[in-house]
Amino acid sequence: GAGVSQTPSNKVTEKGKYVELRCDPISGHTALYWYRQSLGQGPEFLIYFQGTGAADDSGLPNDRFFAVRPEGSVSTLKIQRTERGDSAVYLCASSLTPDLGGETQYFGPGTRLLVL
Amino acid sequence: TQLLEQSPQFLSIQEGENLTVYCNSSSVFSSLQWYRQEPGEGPVLLVTVVTGGEVKKLKRLTFQFGDARKDSSLHITAAQPGDTGLYLCAGFMEYGNKLVFGAGTILRVKS
């Protein structure tokens, strides 16, 4: 497809488990972003990649969260020892270049994570 | 505390009515964006405003950026049921490269 895709669309896990969330950006987009959206809130920035490197990971809440983008395309957000408070929609977005106030970010549909 | 405060949080109106959604901050933004998000989908960009005092129109939607670049508004004329959704404002702070979102306004337009 032409848009940003995310898998799985829904993930239910138990507290303490490890989860991986995948994002396929639009082909050719060099910048990739992860956001977390809790119920009743707007998206909250987690991390952004320029190519393969994490240019800004200041939004990651703690060291249980980690993200990679080894080949500069697909990215995986990894959450260790999940907690109930991690339950949220995890959104991925990509843009042609880093969005320094101008370039449009295109969002995927999100992965709905529920930690029981 | 949200860096960008949106109001109202929820709005339910009849088809044909006009409405305004506000996005306010005490901080200055280099640019501000408005998104619309439908259930089960990601936000979709509607507009970006960059210059203080800027007004942009998109069909029945009018967007304004405050002179001091701290606030913005979205005005919808003659709302239609298809306008129903979550409207989010988001901005880039003057010296940052992260997009900061407001909590959103849920709009419901009844036919």
Side-chain angles (χ1 to χ4, degrees):
Chain A
V4 177
S5 62
Q6 293 186 245
T7 55
S9 53
N10 294 281
K11 177 71 177 178
V12 181
T13 191
E14 294 179 343
K15 179 184 171 184
K17 299 289 189 182
Y18 168 82
V19 296
E20 288 190 352
L21 312 179
R22 176 186 167 109
C23 172
D24 279 88
I26 293 172
S27 177
H29 280 194
T30 62
L32 184 146
Y33 312 80
W34 284 99
Y35 294 85
R36 178 169 68 175
Q37 186 172 23
S38 301
L39 196 61
Q41 297 296 317
E44 174 191 18
F45 171 85
L46 296 177
I47 184 172
Y48 110 81
F49 289 88
Q50 173 55 26
T52 61
D56 186 343
D57 65 356
S58 61
L60 295 177
N62 52 59
D63 61 6
R64 295 187 297 106
F65 289 75
F66 189 71
V68 295
R69 195 186 184 199
E71 298 178 359
S73 179
V74 170
S75 177
T76 305
L77 178 65
K78 308 180 181 192
I79 310 175
Q80 298 177 320
R81 304 183 304 280
T82 52
E83 299 178 356
R84 291 192 180 90
D86 298 335
S87 297
V89 176
Y90 289 82
L91 293 164
C92 176
S94 69
S95 67
L96 197 56
T97 56
D99 197 347
L100 303 179
E103 198 69 36
T104 299
Q105 291 188 23
Y106 296 88
F107 284 82
T111 292
R112 280 143 201 82
L113 176 65
L114 177 61
V115 182
L116 300 176
Chain B
T1 304
Q2 291 272 351
L3 203 56
L4 282 167
E5 297 284 347
Q6 281 190 244
S7 61
Q9 291 180 308
F10 180 77
L11 196 53
S12 180
I13 60 172
Q14 289 294 133
E15 181 177 2
E17 293 183 1
N18 301 333
L19 66 114
T20 302
V21 176
Y22 300 93
C23 179
N24 295 295
S25 178
S26 57
S27 300
V28 176
F29 290 87
S30 59
S31 67
L32 206 138
Q33 301 180 325
W34 285 91
Y35 290 81
R36 180 164 166 252
Q37 185 177 21
E38 299 198 45
E41 298 181 8
V44 175
L45 181 66
L46 297 174
V47 78
T48 300
V49 285
V50 179
T51 307
E54 183 176 2
V55 177
K56 280 192 174 178
K57 292 191 175 184
L58 184 65
K59 296 183 181 178
R60 294 176 294 101
L61 278 60
T62 302
F63 306 86
Q64 186 164 6
F65 200 11
D67 290 341
R69 290 184 289 137
K70 293 181 179 182
D71 55 86
S72 181
S73 64
L74 157 61
H75 182 79
I76 301 179
T77 303
Q80 300 176 359
D83 296 328
T84 293
L86 174 66
Y87 289 81
L88 295 156
C89 68
F92 285 93
M93 299 195 68
E94 212 163 20
Y95 302 107
N97 58 8
K98 291 181 291 190
L99 198 54
V100 176
F101 280 85
T105 295
I106 298 172
L107 172 64
R108 181 186 172 202
V109 182
K110 296 175 284 187
S111 57

